[in-house]
Amino acid sequence: MKVIVVGLGRLGIGLAMNLVKRGHQVTVIDSDPEAFKGLGTNFTGLKVTGIGFDRDVLNEAGIDKVDAIVSCTASDAANAVIGRIAKNIYRVPHVIARLYDPRKANIYHRLGIQTISTTTWGIERATEILSYNQLDRVYEIGNGNVDLVRIEVTPMLVGKRVNDIMVIGEIHVVAITRNEKTFMPTSGTVFEAEDILYLSVMLSATKKLRSMLDLS
């Protein structure tokens, strides 16, 4: 994926480096040229100096060609503005904003902007959002006939229940991460937008799961 990260505090630097390690093309934006030093010498992405909600700066960063933008400046207001510009003007598919005040989360979600909070969780959560839009194998169990995989809930699953995708002996939902907490669901647990699912899947049932999740 092509990703823009705006704001190079601990979260922005950690996320940018994590995404580069995973093979994504990353462009970073910060108003302070000194902030780029935190990326070290191994960062291979593009660096753009400027204000993250300045459209000239965003155009220089190639916002019209990216798959995602993550705004993690120190200001909730700035992150909201950047998120709205990315979503409404440039139609960026994935827009994520750091949020210091969790009470505002519902407002962001209504605007189609996903949110992250604390630094450690934020890096992990943003990476999940950007990386697990396909089946991601977390662990191979035993002789490789069973995989533990994770994926973000697809639009077609929102509102459905765990037992709608369970297949006895083949596919089981073992855990769900939601709002920074991970829990073990019941068969009646309803999937919500932005859930990260962890599933145990027989290798022979992988194609069936992809079809159920409408994955290519």
Side-chain angles (χ1 to χ4, degrees):
M1 296 181 72
K2 295 180 179 179
V3 184
I4 293 175
V5 176
V6 184
L8 292 179
R10 284 197 304 151
L11 174 57
I13 289 173
L15 178 59
M17 295 175 68
N18 203 22
L19 292 172
V20 167
K21 287 179 183 177
R22 289 173 173 265
H24 299 292
Q25 297 179 41
V26 181
T27 296
V28 294
I29 299 174
D30 200 281
S31 58
D32 181 6
E34 292 295 309
F36 299 117
K37 293 180 179 179
L39 294 166
T41 57
N42 295 324
F43 180 75
T44 56
L46 177 66
K47 304 170 185 175
V48 178
T49 303
I51 303 298
F53 49 78
D54 184 320
R55 292 180 61 177
D56 290 336
V57 171
L58 291 171
N59 287 328
E60 182 181 348
I63 191 172
D64 57 323
K65 299 181 181 67
V66 300
D67 303 294
I69 183 168
V70 184
S71 183
C72 40
T73 74
S75 166
D76 280 358
N79 292 336
V81 171
I82 294 166
R84 293 188 69 178
I85 291 173
K87 197 74 176 177
N88 298 334
I89 297 176
Y90 294 97
R91 306 296 181 188
V92 177
H94 297 282
V95 179
I96 305 171
R98 179 167 192 172
L99 183 61
Y100 288 88
D101 184 352
R103 294 172 298 180
K104 300 176 183 176
N106 287 335
I107 298 174
Y108 281 66
H109 294 164
R110 285 198 295 269
L111 297 172
I113 302 171
Q114 294 175 295
T115 59
I116 51 178
S117 52
T118 60
T119 299
T120 302
W121 170 261
I123 293 171
E124 180 181 346
R125 172 61 177 151
T127 303
E128 284 183 343
I129 291 171
L130 299 178
S131 300
Y132 306 145
N133 56 340
Q134 297 291 324
L135 291 182
D136 178 71
R137 187 168 70 174
V138 178
Y139 189 71
E140 182 181 282
I141 301 172
N143 58 5
N145 287 332
V146 178
D147 285 334
L148 179 65
V149 302
R150 59 186 164 188
I151 184 171
E152 184 176 3
V153 161
T154 58
M156 67 175 295
L157 283 184
V158 175
K160 292 189 176 181
R161 300 178 185 275
V162 166
N163 58 8
D164 290 329
I165 65 169
M166 282 183 59
V167 180
I168 295 176
E170 292 185 311
I171 301 169
H172 289 269
V173 180
V174 296
I176 298 175
T177 297
R178 175 184 297 164
N179 298 327
E180 306 187 13
K181 295 181 180 180
T182 301
F183 62 94
M184 297 179 67
T186 67
S187 61
T189 298
V190 177
F191 297 126
E192 297 182 6
E194 301 185 26
D195 282 353
I196 299 294
L197 308 184
Y198 293 80
L199 306 96
S200 58
V201 186
M202 291 293 296
L203 189 60
S204 58
T206 302
K207 186 175 181 180
K208 181 185 296 185
L209 177 61
R210 286 185 175 275
S211 177
M212 293 168 65
L213 299 177
D214 195 28
L215 298 176
S216 57

